[in-house]
Amino acid sequence: MLNKNILASGLMILSATSAFGWGQKGHDTTAYIAENHLTPATKEIVEGLLDGKSPVYYANWLDNASHTPEYAYSKTWHYKNIDGDQTFESAPLLESGDIVRAIYSQVAILQDSNATRDQKQLALKMVIHLVGDIHQPMHLGHASDLGGNRCMVKYFGKDANLHSVWDSSLPESAHKWSYTEWQQQIDRTTPEQRVEILSINTPEGWASETYEICKDVYTKTPDGTKISYDYIAEWTPVVEQQFLKGGLRLADLLNSIFDVEYQGRNAIVNK
């Protein structure tokens, strides 16, 4: 009985964990790219709110926190589900919230002069994580299969689900890099490329862009797909692109909030 209980608990933990993402490497990479693009004024405020720690330190914090009673309200904030017969605009809104509305609400706290330091610290930790999540294609996945968690595939011959593949397996197969190496290798944009990436400057825009990728992923990865080297080669550039976009857009958002002299383009920040 004890072994069965341990097994059942392990499966529950695995199921709960696979509901979130990117995996640890993806969130760390996104946060580190952002950190490298913060202005000095923003970096000072961010480090002050985080008690001297890097954004990377809290990049994965919300995945664990959402499973605790104190922060259980944020479980649905990691994603926005859109079924195959719906559009981005027509998908029903969850009463408990979604990733688009969560980013707006936490940015509002960061801009609120009446918010306490503790409230702003929590909002910052959430924003760091959520801007990463909104660039993970399966976080705009179908409600009917729990964002790909019920879409079963074979990953190099082993049973897996589509969501977990995109959270961690695919990025780790793409490059065996640390998050600092990811940043060093993919964060090499020209000023013109950065302008183009930052021209999409709202959570709706980010989510809609990610949703278009998600639709392509579903089309090319139906139930039972045998994933191997060709799949890794096809989708690695997308993973790189989404890590980079998430990091640059997070930096732009934080600079727009905290640096009054920043010539930011982020549309949701009240100047």
Side-chain angles (χ1 to χ4, degrees):
M1 178 64 72
L2 178 60
N3 288 340
K4 288 183 179 180
N5 287 340
I6 292 174
L7 177 60
S9 298
L11 289 173
M12 288 175 65
I13 292 171
L14 178 61
S15 175
T17 301
S18 66
F20 297 145
W22 298 104
Q24 181 174 339
K25 187 67 63 66
H27 279 293
D28 287 351
T29 300
T30 297
Y32 191 56
I33 290 172
E35 183 175 3
N36 277 271
H37 290 272
L38 298 180
T39 67
T42 300
K43 187 173 183 180
E44 181 178 358
I45 294 173
V46 166
E47 289 183 351
L49 285 173
L50 299 180
D51 299 320
K53 294 181 174 64
S54 160
V56 177
Y57 186 91
Y58 287 108
N60 291 276
W61 174 83
L62 191 59
D63 274 346
N64 294 321
S66 291
H67 289 296
T68 66
E70 185 177 2
Y71 302 107
Y73 62 85
S74 67
K75 281 185 179 180
T76 64
W77 290 13
H78 297 254
Y79 55 86
K80 176 179 174 67
N81 284 147
I82 305 168
D83 273 323
D85 60 350
Q86 298 166 344
T87 66
F88 183 85
E89 292 77 19
S90 69
L93 298 177
L94 298 175
E95 287 188 16
S96 51
D98 59 54
I99 193 164
V100 173
R101 288 178 288 160
I103 292 174
Y104 272 107
S105 68
Q106 300 313 297
V107 168
I109 292 171
L110 290 174
Q111 290 194 273
D112 184 357
S113 60
N114 294 317
T116 67
R117 181 183 183 278
D118 286 347
Q119 289 172 326
K120 290 191 175 188
Q121 181 185 68
L122 176 59
L124 177 57
K125 287 155 64 174
M126 288 185 167
V127 165
I128 290 168
H129 185 87
L130 295 175
V131 174
D133 272 351
I134 206 169
H135 288 84
Q136 206 278 53
M138 299 318 298
H139 282 247
L140 278 295
H142 299 164
S144 57
D145 66 12
L146 303 182
N149 276 287
R150 290 178 177 169
C151 180
M152 304 310 297
V153 298
K154 289 285 187 180
Y155 194 79
F156 289 91
K158 296 183 178 180
D159 290 336
N161 68 70
L162 185 57
H163 192 110
S164 66
V165 165
W166 273 86
D167 266 356
S168 298
S169 301
L170 175 55
E172 290 292 351
S173 295
H175 302 292
K176 294 295 184 183
W177 293 335
S178 66
Y179 71 85
T180 57
E181 291 170 321
W182 270 96
Q183 184 274 329
Q184 290 164 4
Q185 294 302 318
I186 69 174
D187 187 11
R188 294 166 177 254
T189 53
T190 65
E192 293 76 17
Q193 289 170 328
R194 288 193 294 276
V195 167
E196 182 179 359
I197 288 171
L198 299 181
S199 67
I200 301 177
N201 56 11
T202 66
E204 293 98 336
W206 305 334
S208 182
E209 180 187 64
T210 302
Y211 174 56
E212 292 303 313
I213 299 172
C214 179
K215 289 193 293 184
D216 196 23
V217 172
Y218 272 120
T219 298
K220 295 180 178 179
T221 324
D223 258 337
T225 296
K226 295 179 180 179
I227 293 175
S228 188
Y229 297 102
D230 55 343
Y231 191 93
I232 306 303
E234 178 178 3
W235 290 107
T236 289
V238 176
V239 172
E240 295 172 353
Q241 162 194 285
Q242 293 304 100
F243 284 1
L244 178 62
K245 286 181 176 180
L248 293 177
R249 289 167 177 170
L250 175 59
D252 179 64
L253 178 61
L254 296 179
N255 286 331
S256 298
I257 294 170
F258 293 125
D259 188 345
V260 295
E261 296 184 359
Y262 177 70
Q263 300 299 310
R265 300 175 181 83
N266 197 280
I268 72 171
V269 174
N270 298 319
K271 287 295 189 181

